Amino acid sequence: GQNIDQPTEMTATEGAIVQINCTYQTSGFNGLFWYQQHAGEAPTFLSYNVLDGLEEKGRFSSFLSRSKGYSYLLLKELQMKDSASYLCAVGAGKSTFGDGTTLTVKP
Amino acid sequence: DSGVTQTPKHLITATGQRVTLRCSPRSGDLSVYWYQQSLDQGLQFLIQYYNGEERAKGNILERFSAQQFPDLHSELNLSSLELGDSALYFCASSVGSSGTDTQYFGPGTRLTVL
């Protein structure tokens, strides 16, 4: 089966750095995705990790440790528009999504 | 704009009714996925089609069915609707059929069952 855990909510301050963690237990693994979803809108792709290590893409970075079943999404220089839900998804035949972490960025 | 289109954008109907949601994937994508997202809940995977064939099934109710047509568009049919079926229904598409492909999501159909 598939089990993905993320914190439900996080709050951070504009300009700060925030790390959103994701742990997973899956019967297979073909990579880990992070998506961003603003309220009432469609999820949009942020990053994909298939090998261990850090992938950096502008203000967003994503880290993966396959041996630990662990990933995190790092958001730097937070902006108000980063307030959204962040979904961790594991690809293993078909992608399974976590319930998402709702991030609130405060001024 | 992801390139995935969904119609209608909003749908209001009554309990016991049947509705059809439509999705057109991005040009070149062969896989279509359907998800249900109820209020304040995560994405629940319903079903995946790849090049016209059912590829994977999630927690899809027997009252729900889907198909993918030769032109690769897909329809999700929801019947005997209940209040609890009110949700956002997203369609996503990807190039291939494995879990390694990025999924691109449509804008969703908001279904309200009264």
Side-chain angles (χ1 to χ4, degrees), chain B residues 35-71:
Chain B
Y35 293 90
Q36 179 193 56
Q37 188 173 42
S38 302
L39 193 64
D40 296 331
Q41 290 192 4
L43 285 168
Q44 299 298 315
F45 170 72
L46 295 178
I47 198 164
Q48 176 199 1
Y49 280 83
Y50 176 75
N51 204 22
E53 303 272 335
E54 182 183 304
R55 182 55 64 105
K57 217 167 188 175
N59 298 323
I60 187 167
L61 300 172
E62 284 192 12
R63 301 184 286 109
F64 296 1
S65 65
Q67 55 183 327
Q68 186 179 29
F69 295 87
D71 68 352

Side-chain angles (χ1 to χ4, degrees), chain A residues 9 30 38 53 59 73 90 105:
Chain A
E9 295 179 335
N30 286 339
H38 286 97
R59 294 190 299 114
L73 180 70
V90 173
V105 179

Side-chain angles (χ1 to χ4, degrees), chain B residues 77-99:
Chain B
N77 301 296
L78 314 175
S79 61
S80 303
L81 284 168
E82 302 175 359
L83 295 177
D85 297 328
S86 295
L88 259 175
Y89 289 84
F90 287 108
C91 161
S93 74
S94 69
V95 171
S97 61
S98 75

Side-chain angles (χ1 to χ4, degrees), chain A residues 30-31 33 35 37 40-45 48 87 90-95 97-99, chain B residues 35 37 42-45 48 56-57 88 90 97-103 105-107 110:
Chain A
N30 286 339
F33 297 85
Y35 287 82
Q37 185 180 24
E41 297 182 10
T44 55
F45 170 77
Y48 172 62
L87 309 174
V90 173
K94 57 177 172 66
S95 288
F97 283 78
D99 287 342
Chain B
Y35 293 90
Q37 188 173 42
L43 285 168
Q44 299 298 315
F45 170 72
Q48 176 199 1
K57 217 167 188 175
L88 259 175
F90 287 108
S97 61
S98 75
T100 61
D101 298 309
T102 299
Q103 295 182 29
F105 285 78
R110 182 173 293 281

